[in-house]
Amino acid sequence: MEQYFSKITALIILLLVTLSCKSNLDQQFSLENDQLIEEWKSENKKFIQQNSEKLTDSQMLKSLDSIVIEYTINKNKKLAIKFIKTEKGVKRLNFLKKSFSKEEIKSLLKKVPESIKTDTNYIALQKYISPE
């Protein structure tokens, strides 16, 4: 009986540690995502203030487009890769899937924990990379 309680206690501790790590990763993702949004807003504002008088409208538009691409695609790709072991990371990867090669996605999906493999974003990515 004592051995049974020891196993149950060990399982509960393992579950709590796992949930704590998942929670910390989710919090870290949210924090870095919020920082990315603030950085993008700041860069936009700074660029407009520094260049609105110097550049033509079309030059401004092209430059602002490049800032948008840098933040909405390139930096978000890095976020998806860094947090691929979280639901939010998989969701971000699914959102940006056309910005990755199918081989890159296949490689990243190998890192996804079993607990996330039933998530709709994971399933959508599996369907996206599977041969038709």
Side-chain angles (χ1 to χ4, degrees):
M1 191 67 144
E2 185 176 315
Q3 197 175 27
Y4 174 75
F5 286 118
S6 295
K7 286 182 180 181
I8 294 290
T9 304
L11 285 173
I12 290 172
I13 290 170
L14 182 63
L15 179 64
L16 290 173
V17 168
T18 303
L19 289 174
S20 174
C21 289
K22 182 179 177 185
S23 176
N24 287 339
L25 278 176
D26 286 336
Q27 287 175 353
Q28 186 66 30
F29 178 93
S30 295
L31 177 66
E32 290 190 30
N33 187 56
D34 291 345
Q35 288 172 343
L36 187 61
I37 291 167
E38 289 306 313
E39 185 181 324
W40 173 73
K41 287 178 184 177
S42 174
E43 285 298 313
N44 260 343
K45 186 177 180 179
K46 184 171 78 174
F47 179 82
I48 291 168
Q49 288 172 344
Q50 290 175 348
N51 297 296
S52 62
E53 308 257 326
K54 300 175 193 171
L55 301 175
T56 66
D57 287 348
S58 64
Q59 290 172 323
M60 283 289 287
L61 190 57
K62 280 184 183 179
S63 296
L64 288 170
D65 280 350
S66 67
I67 292 171
V68 167
I69 289 168
E70 178 63 21
Y71 282 90
T72 59
I73 298 182
N74 299 337
K75 291 194 178 205
N76 269 292
K77 280 177 70 173
K78 290 177 185 173
L79 205 58
I81 292 166
K82 182 176 181 178
F83 291 97
I84 195 61
K85 293 181 179 182
T86 68
E87 285 182 23
K88 290 179 180 183
V90 172
K91 183 177 181 180
R92 188 64 50 97
L93 177 62
N94 189 31
F95 178 73
L96 295 168
K97 65 186 167 212
K98 294 192 178 190
S99 299
F100 288 88
S101 72
K102 289 187 178 186
E103 286 303 313
E104 287 175 304
I105 294 172
K106 196 178 290 187
S107 174
L108 287 168
L109 290 181
K110 290 177 183 175
K111 299 175 184 178
V112 174
E114 285 296 320
S115 61
I116 298 175
K117 291 185 177 181
T118 56
D119 181 78
T120 56
N121 288 293
Y122 179 87
I123 294 167
L125 286 163
Q126 284 288 17
K127 286 180 183 177
Y128 178 73
I129 63 171
S130 65
E132 296 179 32

